[in-house]
Amino acid sequence: NGNYWKQEKAVSGINQKYVNPSIAVDSQGGVFVAWTDALAIYLNSSLDNGNSWGKEKKISENQINALQETSPSIAISQLGIHVAWPQYYNLSDSTGIEIFYAESTDRGATWKDAIKVNTIEEGNFPVNGFPAIAANGDAVHVAWQSKDAGASLNQIFSSRLSSKVCSSKNDCGTDGFLNKPFCSESLG
């Protein structure tokens, strides 16, 4: 059929811990790749359909003394570039995993501070992981797997990015995904 893959190009520097890439493209020829080194989330961009790449940027700072940041998921919308990832707080039994989100509204040049997506009361750490992010127009959604620490059954949750003022448990607050009262709704 005449289709072929072009020669691959390095997107990141060399680091034995760089893993879990996620990729998204925009309608203007931008290609954006996010990955992790387990301690932070990085992103690099190409604004010419992958022909050349810029310099990688760290887009997360380890939140609240997290031990690991892993498995980023990336999406593009008219609002910008959106990345979600899990942060681990207790590696011995995989409890204390929260989902964080960061966005760039200038094609990856700068990033807003990360915000927590899932709702959690202090001291009650659930097991959350494997976030997936999708965006369309001005809508951004994150879904993830969750279970209470010690539980044997999983449940899938989803949350929507919003700038609305929080007026009920089903609304989101002005800080994006999360403001009390909580903003997530179970899909289970």
Side-chain angles (χ1 to χ4, degrees), residues 77-116:
S77 78
Q78 71 184 34
L79 298 176
I81 305 168
H82 313 276
V83 180
W85 66 90
Q87 290 190 350
Y88 292 74
Y89 297 94
N90 183 350
L91 298 178
S92 64
D93 62 3
S94 294
T95 60
I97 306 169
E98 297 183 313
I99 307 300
F100 278 80
Y101 163 88
E103 71 177 328
S104 171
T105 57
D106 56 10
R107 299 183 90 200
T110 60
W111 289 83
K112 295 182 181 178
D113 289 342
I115 58 173
K116 189 169 60 170

Side-chain angles (χ1 to χ4, degrees), residues 20 27 37 50 57 63 67-68 80 84 86 100 106 109 111 125 133 137 147-148 158 160 163 173 181 183:
N20 302 326
S27 62
D37 67 357
K57 295 179 185 213
Q63 304 293 320
L67 298 174
Q68 279 190 349
F100 278 80
D106 56 10
W111 289 83
F125 289 101
I133 192 166
K147 68 180 174 182
D148 289 331
S158 175
R160 169 183 54 87
S163 59
C183 309

Side-chain angles (χ1 to χ4, degrees), residues 1-8 51:
N1 65 10
N3 292 335
Y4 66 95
W5 288 96
K6 289 189 168 191
Q7 178 68 37
E8 68 269 11
N51 290 313

Side-chain angles (χ1 to χ4, degrees), residues 159-178:
S159 189
R160 169 183 54 87
L161 180 65
S162 176
S163 59
K164 293 186 344 181
V165 174
C166 203
S167 60
S168 75
K169 74 175 192 170
N170 294 324
D171 273 338
C172 288
T174 57
D175 60 350
F177 286 100
L178 178 61

Side-chain angles (χ1 to χ4, degrees), residues 121-163:
E121 295 299 322
E122 292 297 322
N124 180 22
F125 289 101
V127 178
N128 295 293
F130 308 104
I133 192 166
N136 186 9
D138 63 357
V140 180
H141 297 265
V142 175
W144 65 93
Q145 166 189 318
S146 185
K147 68 180 174 182
D148 289 331
S152 61
L153 300 174
N154 290 325
Q155 190 170 20
I156 305 300
F157 285 84
S158 175
S159 189
R160 169 183 54 87
L161 180 65
S162 176
S163 59

Side-chain angles (χ1 to χ4, degrees), residues 50-70:
N51 290 313
S52 63
W53 290 87
K55 185 177 177 186
E56 64 191 58
K57 295 179 185 213
K58 185 191 295 189
I59 65 169
S60 73
E61 290 297 329
N62 218 303
Q63 304 293 320
I64 316 170
N65 299 317
L67 298 174
Q68 279 190 349
E69 298 179 336
T70 64

